[in-house]
Amino acid sequence: MIIGEEVLHYDITDSTNNEAKRLCEKEVVHGRLVVADRQTLGRGRRGREWLSSNNDGIWMSYILEPSMKPVTASTLTLVAAMAVAKAVTETTGLKVGIKWPNDIVCNDRKLSGILTEMQSEDDKVRYVVIGIGINVDTEGFPSELKEVATSIYMESGYKISKSDIIKHVSIYLEKYYNEFLATCDMAGLKEEYEALLVNLGRQVYADDGREVKEYTAMGINEQGELVVKDACGNVKNIRAGEVSVRGIYGYV
Ligand code: BTN
């Protein structure tokens, strides 16, 4: 099935990622898309909550069934970020970029986040769920998010059709997913990803849970790792999930 060809729409669910995983326990249907108007338990990365109890954003999860190893499939989160960035720009005219590995940002504030989860058996992926949250009509955020979050409405002043954005995300996810499948890495997508990478050439703090170090972001490698350089010129690759990255002057 083409990605996004089948859409299951819910008025409300706990989390579209949870719903997608429940569906996969019965049957894995590649390309199936789960969309909800509201989530009661929206989840973000690193165990954070994702604000999605209002019908003012796109809360959706794609089910994919790639035949590859989990370590390869984890890079699909970068592929999804490209699809969201491209779709938002095309439907809104806003200039957006990607904060590595998969936050979509506009004017240095987060517009969209992605939570990729998977199930595997014997080092082979059974399914991947790519959960995407896009702040669309949000008119304001609580004080703790004010400095870091934004929405399409806040950036453009317009209320844009959510279904149009979803359609474009699906089209671009299908395109980039197939390009990724050709080599099972970012070789064919690296240049386009780096053109969207807002961290490029900027100072970043990398936090591996033990220590925080400062680097300059140089780009990504074919595995989707962030290539960074320290003050002495030593180059290092940082893997998403193991290390979190933030800007030294703020979120980006
Ligand atoms: C992040 O940046 O922390 C990731 C946020 C992912 C949010 C989306 S909304 C749809 C899907 N369902 C969830 O519970 N989370 C993802």
Side-chain angles (χ1 to χ4, degrees), residues 45-105:
R45 293 175 72 207
R46 303 177 187 282
R48 294 197 194 102
E49 174 195 4
W50 180 263
L51 214 62
S52 46
S53 52
N54 290 331
N55 185 10
D56 56 3
I58 293 171
W59 327 124
M60 64 178 181
S61 302
Y62 289 95
I63 295 169
L64 304 180
E65 194 183 21
S67 71
M68 57 182 66
K69 286 174 181 264
V71 63
T72 308
S74 64
T75 311
L76 286 171
T77 205
L78 279 75
V79 175
M82 291 177 70
V84 174
K86 193 84 180 170
V88 169
T89 296
E90 201 153 302
T91 49
T92 66
L94 288 173
K95 190 177 171 337
V96 301
I98 299 172
K99 173 184 174 280
W100 182 85
N102 59 3
D103 284 355
I104 288 77
V105 301

Side-chain angles (χ1 to χ4, degrees), residues 167-186:
K167 217 178 336 163
H168 280 78
V169 176
S170 298
I171 291 168
Y172 281 110
L173 187 56
E174 173 72 23
K175 170 179 147 57
Y176 291 136
Y177 178 70
N178 285 318
E179 286 177 38
F180 181 84
L181 281 191
T183 52
C184 276
D185 63 24
M186 293 296 284

Side-chain angles (χ1 to χ4, degrees), residues 14-18 39 41-46 48 50 52 58-61 102-103 110 112-115 131-134:
D14 53 351
S15 145
T16 53
N17 269 36
N18 293 356
Q39 300 185 118
L41 276 176
R43 294 185 288 113
R45 293 175 72 207
R46 303 177 187 282
R48 294 197 194 102
W50 180 263
S52 46
I58 293 171
W59 327 124
M60 64 178 181
S61 302
N102 59 3
D103 284 355
K110 182 161 165 173
S112 164
I114 301 178
L115 175 66
I132 299 173
I134 308 175

